[in-house]
Amino acid sequence: MRLVGSAITTAILILGFAAIAQQTGPGGSQPPAGSPQSEAPPANGSQPQVDESALRYFASQGDTRRVNAEIARLRALYPNWNPPSDLSQLSAGAAAPPPDPIIERLWNLYREDRIAEVRAAIAERQASDANWKPPEELVTALETVEARRRLVNASDSGQWQTVLSVATESPGLLTCTNVDVLWRVAEAFARTDQPTRTRDVYTYLLMNCANPAERLATLQKALTLLPEQQVTDLLQFERKTGETPDDFGSIRDELARRRVERASLDSKTTASAEDLAAVERLIRNTNEAGPVLILGWYNYHHGNPARALELFKTALDRNGAAKAAEGYAMSLRALERLNDAEAFAYEWRERAPENMKIYLDIATALLSQDPAPRLDSQVVARIVPVVTTQRFSDGAQALGWYSYNTQQIRTARDWFRTALGWKPESEPSAYGLALSTQRLNERAAFNAVVAQWRGRSERIADLADGTNPGSRRQSAPAQPRAEVDVAPPAPSRPAAPRQMTVERVEIEQPLVRTETAARQRQSEARSVLGRSCAMTANPAGLSGDAALTRAWCLMEINRPLEAVAAFDRAISTGSGRAREEAAYGKSLAYLRKNLTSEAAIAAAEAPQTRSRQVELGASILTQRALAAYRDKRYVETLLALSERARLVPEQNDLLLIRGWSYFNLGRYKDAEQVFRAVQRTGHSEEASIGLNAVLEVTDQVSQ
């Protein structure tokens, strides 16, 4: 094994490998042990004075590993030193000078890695004999072990600067006998943004350390920390001859795999034949799905979907899971095998978001073929609920065109209307709605579409002006109506439209319409208290006015439950006016947390003006209605809305909730009246969904 001295290893940390190469000559390594240069005697012609007690002790114990490690350490410290020739006799059990029993005990403890006990024994002996000193080699060995432990602990806890500091202070650690330490130092350089130093440590390892497994592991670690080009540069140190040649083939294969993987994501990047062959070799030599997926995506994005399909099938067989299924479905689509693609993608649609997306895209492409395909009823039956659940506008539009081109005009109209509800700015859906309403001679609906889109769609304007016949989107002759039910699900049971209505109420209609004076009071309180308002404090010691000011400030920073305690203090200690305002504020605080019962109780804790009574009552009833509607308690919803309507006029969003509640209770005439009333106010989109639901149900009943 080739080793370096402490001066050179310190240079790794301080100067970098370039300086080491200059110091050690061509190749950057120290002359091998046993060469004439390494055996050159000191200038005075004598061997250096070296403490060989540890070496002799390990040899007498037959501990070959420790003997070799000690020889390596001594050579690192004393490059001109040679081990004594009688060590082989000691290791074979030949007679040796009797050791000092105390020293022997210390070395035994050291050999068993009981370092703390060694230190304790040394301290105990020195306490009884102040002139006694442990062997220098033992002290050095202890310091080395302790330094290694500090370095490893720092590395394990991510304290990278400490790793480098310990390594600088203990350069004797940085030899090929401590490859793990060198790896940790290299990682510390990488984690402290010094990749060049990381490369230098790896270069040193590959130039000087001989263990093939450790050399390969060095390259594997380099793969995780260095840019690929630097890893490629390190491959030049591969030893192809000698007793223990290297095999860095796995490193080259990994680099090739990475290059092909990058090219697999970019159709403009082409991988070399050598890299592709390397990935093919990986596929043959392993049962993993990873390389197969990479080559599959490469072929897909480089215009070979047939080969990609084969590879994705292999990846599926190797448990490639959702990603393999995604590629397989996309390859079927690229090969224009849309029926097969839809059937396969349907089975995988819920495995991952990407699988759902590709299913919807394939289903849309299947429905959008020109001319319109004759699809089996089972195919359409599984497409419709997925499109509806996902609220996929393009899919709804495709169902609209499929219905239109198979002469299901009323169904087409409903799908186009649904698509616009999910994506209001979709011009193709608007055009489809215009065509279908024109075909159905629904003049009012047609004129409404034209009025909204005339300035944004030339073909809709032409349709209104009679310059675009527009009876069909596609040029193929009309097909007879297929016996396939593609009607969108009746809005009577679509959770989506009803939930959308509730969300509009919550977002667009503030549940608590705080009067101007209250809003002003909050802002004034915030300006008075400033940052101190945000600090948690017990209001028990405050006066009524001070507690009221703090409560409004807490409302301003949206901490209503803390404000309740302050309002309570103001109610119990404040004047009549302060108590009224505090009871009002407490009600608002509870309403912010949807605690309607508590809000009602709070409102009664002090007399309120008529306007505030109305405001609080309406807000409380609004929240009760919304909560009941979410829980599908439609009778309670209607009761709360009716009670609220006696206080204030009912706005459109709540009218829509009333309409859907009637609808879900089977009171279709009442629902129709409400939806038409909303439609007359200009909210035609939401109301139209409700009216269509009513018409669909009543038409089915009449048939």
Side-chain angles (χ1 to χ4, degrees):
M1 179 179 294
R2 297 181 181 177
L3 305 164
V4 298
S6 60
I8 296 177
T9 52
T10 302
I12 289 179
L13 297 172
I14 299 174
L15 301 175
F17 190 78
I20 299 172
Q22 295 174 5
Q23 293 176 12
T24 56
S29 61
Q30 185 183 350
S35 67
Q37 182 179 346
S38 67
E39 294 179 351
N44 59 11
S46 62
Q47 281 276 5
Q49 294 297 317
V50 178
D51 184 351
E52 299 173 351
S53 60
L55 179 63
R56 291 183 178 279
Y57 172 74
F58 293 138
S60 69
Q61 299 295 313
D63 192 339
T64 305
R65 184 179 66 84
R66 293 278 189 178
V67 168
N68 291 334
E70 182 66 7
I71 290 174
R73 191 181 67 82
L74 293 174
R75 276 181 169 163
L77 294 172
Y78 310 104
N80 294 321
W81 172 83
N82 288 314
S85 59
D86 60 350
L87 284 180
S88 59
Q89 297 176 356
L90 292 175
S91 62
D100 181 338
I102 296 176
I103 301 300
E104 182 178 13
R105 175 172 175 265
L106 293 174
W107 280 115
N108 278 332
L109 291 172
Y110 171 80
R111 184 175 62 175
E112 295 170 5
D113 204 28
R114 296 156 66 180
I115 305 303
E117 294 182 46
V118 177
R119 288 291 190 190
I122 290 174
E124 181 181 353
R125 176 59 187 272
Q126 288 178 328
S128 62
D129 184 356
N131 295 323
W132 181 85
K133 292 183 179 180
E136 182 182 346
E137 292 302 308
L138 177 60
V139 174
T140 302
L142 290 173
E143 291 174 348
T144 300
V145 170
E146 290 165 344
R148 183 188 298 112
R149 287 182 176 178
R150 291 199 307 274
L151 187 146
V152 169
N153 289 338
S155 174
D156 289 343
S157 59
Q159 300 175 18
W160 306 115
Q161 291 293 352
T162 302
V163 171
L164 298 178
S165 176
V166 173
T168 304
E169 295 168 359
S170 307
L173 288 173
L174 306 180
T175 68
C176 291
T177 57
N178 295 305
V179 170
D180 180 65
V181 169
L182 290 168
W183 286 338
R184 292 173 185 272
V185 171
E187 183 177 7
F189 278 133
R191 303 301 183 192
T192 55
D193 298 324
Q194 302 178 73
T196 302
R197 294 293 181 85
T198 300
R199 179 204 60 198
D200 291 345
V201 177
Y202 290 145
T203 300
Y204 161 69
L205 273 161
L206 294 170
M207 292 181 65
N208 293 278
C209 304
N211 185 296
E214 292 174 345
R215 293 167 59 79
L216 178 60
T218 297
L219 267 297
Q220 291 169 342
K221 290 180 179 296
L223 280 170
T224 66
L225 296 174
L226 291 179
E228 289 181 20
Q229 185 55 53
Q230 291 191 12
V231 178
T232 302
D233 293 341
L234 291 175
L235 290 172
Q236 65 180 301
F237 298 108
E238 184 177 22
R239 295 176 179 175
K240 299 183 179 180
T241 59
E243 296 181 0
T244 55
D246 295 321
D247 182 5
F248 291 166
S250 61
I251 305 300
R252 291 188 172 85
D253 287 346
E254 174 59 19
L255 291 170
R257 187 197 67 79
R258 293 184 180 188
R259 289 190 289 267
V260 175
E261 184 174 22
R262 284 196 297 273
S264 73
L265 304 176
D266 183 2
S267 60
K268 297 179 181 178
T269 302
T270 304
S272 67
E274 292 80 4
D275 286 350
L276 292 171
V279 177
E280 291 276 12
R281 189 165 56 250
L282 287 174
I283 292 174
R284 292 192 300 270
N285 295 338
T286 70
N287 289 321
E288 296 179 358
V292 189
L293 284 171
I294 289 172
L295 201 58
W297 286 113
Y298 181 86
N299 279 275
Y300 176 81
H301 286 122
H302 289 79
N304 192 355
R307 173 60 176 153
L309 188 69
E310 296 174 1
L311 289 163
F312 287 127
K313 178 61 171 66
T314 301
L316 282 169
D317 294 340
R318 296 185 180 186
N319 197 27
K323 199 63 181 176
E326 179 187 352
Y328 191 83
M330 292 176 69
S331 298
L332 285 172
R333 178 183 177 180
L335 292 168
E336 298 184 359
R337 293 169 55 183
L338 290 176
N339 290 82
D340 294 338
E342 186 276 333
F344 176 83
Y346 180 80
E347 298 299 325
W348 284 84
R349 69 193 186 285
E350 294 182 346
R351 304 293 182 91
E354 293 79 10
N355 295 95
M356 178 61 77
K357 181 180 184 303
I358 190 59
Y359 174 71
L360 291 169
D361 289 344
I362 289 172
T364 299
L366 177 66
L367 294 165
S368 301
Q369 294 177 90
D370 186 6
R374 298 182 64 86
L375 299 178
D376 187 271
S377 59
Q378 293 181 348
V379 175
V380 179
R382 63 181 176 231
I383 291 175
V384 168
V386 179
V387 168
T388 303
T389 302
Q390 296 297 313
R391 299 171 64 84
F392 187 56
S393 175
D394 290 349
Q397 182 192 129
L399 284 164
W401 288 120
Y402 177 80
S403 302
Y404 188 90
N405 290 326
T406 54
Q407 300 304 303
Q408 302 176 70
I409 309 303
R410 182 182 291 273
T411 301
R413 175 205 62 192
D414 294 342
W415 274 118
F416 289 131
R417 190 170 279 155
T418 299
L420 275 174
W422 293 340
K423 190 177 181 181
E425 298 306 312
S426 173
E427 190 274 346
S429 297
Y431 180 63
L433 181 59
L435 281 176
S436 55
T437 52
Q438 186 185 58
R439 285 282 301 274
L440 292 170
N441 199 29
E442 296 177 349
R443 301 307 304 171
F446 174 75
N447 290 336
V449 177
V450 172
Q452 184 178 1
W453 285 88
R454 177 184 286 276
R456 292 183 286 168
S457 172
E458 182 177 353
R459 56 180 177 171
I460 291 178
D462 291 344
L463 196 63
D465 297 337
T467 57
N468 177 5
S471 61
R472 289 187 46 77
R473 178 181 67 114
Q474 302 170 1
S475 58
Q479 299 180 6
R481 178 185 175 98
E483 294 300 321
V484 179
D485 182 12
V486 296
S492 56
R493 305 185 187 162
R498 296 197 300 275
Q499 185 63 33
M500 178 189 70
T501 305
V502 175
E503 291 175 356
R504 285 182 60 86
V505 174
E506 292 177 338
I507 295 172
E508 296 186 4
Q509 301 290 343
L511 297 180
V512 179
R513 296 168 183 77
T514 310
E515 65 180 15
T516 304
R519 291 197 298 270
Q520 183 178 353
R521 189 76 174 89
Q522 291 177 185
S523 299
E524 290 174 355
R526 180 69 182 279
S527 63
V528 169
L529 294 181
R531 293 186 178 180
S532 64
C533 172
M535 298 175 63
T536 302
N538 188 341
L542 299 178
S543 66
D545 289 341
L548 186 60
T549 300
R550 177 170 178 77
W552 283 122
C553 184
L554 289 168
M555 291 288 286
E556 177 71 5
I557 62 175
N558 200 27
R559 288 160 61 173
L561 292 183
E562 290 182 49
V564 166
F567 282 129
D568 280 336
R569 177 65 180 172
I571 291 173
S572 62
T573 62
S575 62
R577 178 63 179 168
R579 291 180 66 250
E580 175 187 338
E581 187 174 343
Y584 172 69
K586 184 177 177 181
S587 297
L588 297 181
Y590 278 130
L591 284 171
R592 284 196 188 177
K593 304 301 291 184
N594 290 330
L595 301 172
T596 54
S597 297
E598 290 82 351
I601 294 172
E605 290 188 35
Q608 300 291 329
T609 64
R610 174 60 183 168
S611 61
R612 282 184 174 176
Q613 290 176 1
V614 171
E615 177 191 349
L616 291 174
S619 296
I620 290 169
L621 290 168
T622 299
Q623 287 196 358
R624 286 179 178 171
L626 291 174
Y629 184 79
R630 291 191 195 95
D631 294 338
K632 300 182 179 180
R633 293 180 282 115
Y634 301 115
V635 173
E636 294 179 40
T637 302
L638 292 171
L639 289 173
L641 290 175
S642 297
E643 189 174 352
R644 181 188 182 280
R646 285 194 288 269
L647 297 176
V648 293
E650 201 163 56
Q651 67 265 27
N652 284 324
D653 288 319
L654 294 180
L655 279 171
L656 288 170
I657 289 180
R658 179 186 289 277
W660 283 115
S661 296
Y662 283 138
F663 182 87
N664 283 289
L665 292 172
R667 297 170 58 178
Y668 301 120
K669 288 189 177 296
D670 292 334
E672 181 180 3
Q673 289 179 358
V674 172
F675 289 135
R676 290 196 182 281
V678 175
Q679 191 179 53
R680 286 193 293 270
T681 67
H683 289 67
S684 58
E685 180 180 331
E686 296 90 346
S688 295
I689 294 174
L691 285 172
N692 289 334
V694 172
L695 292 175
E696 288 289 340
V697 172
T698 52
D699 285 349
Q700 292 174 9
V701 172
S702 63
Q703 293 175 1

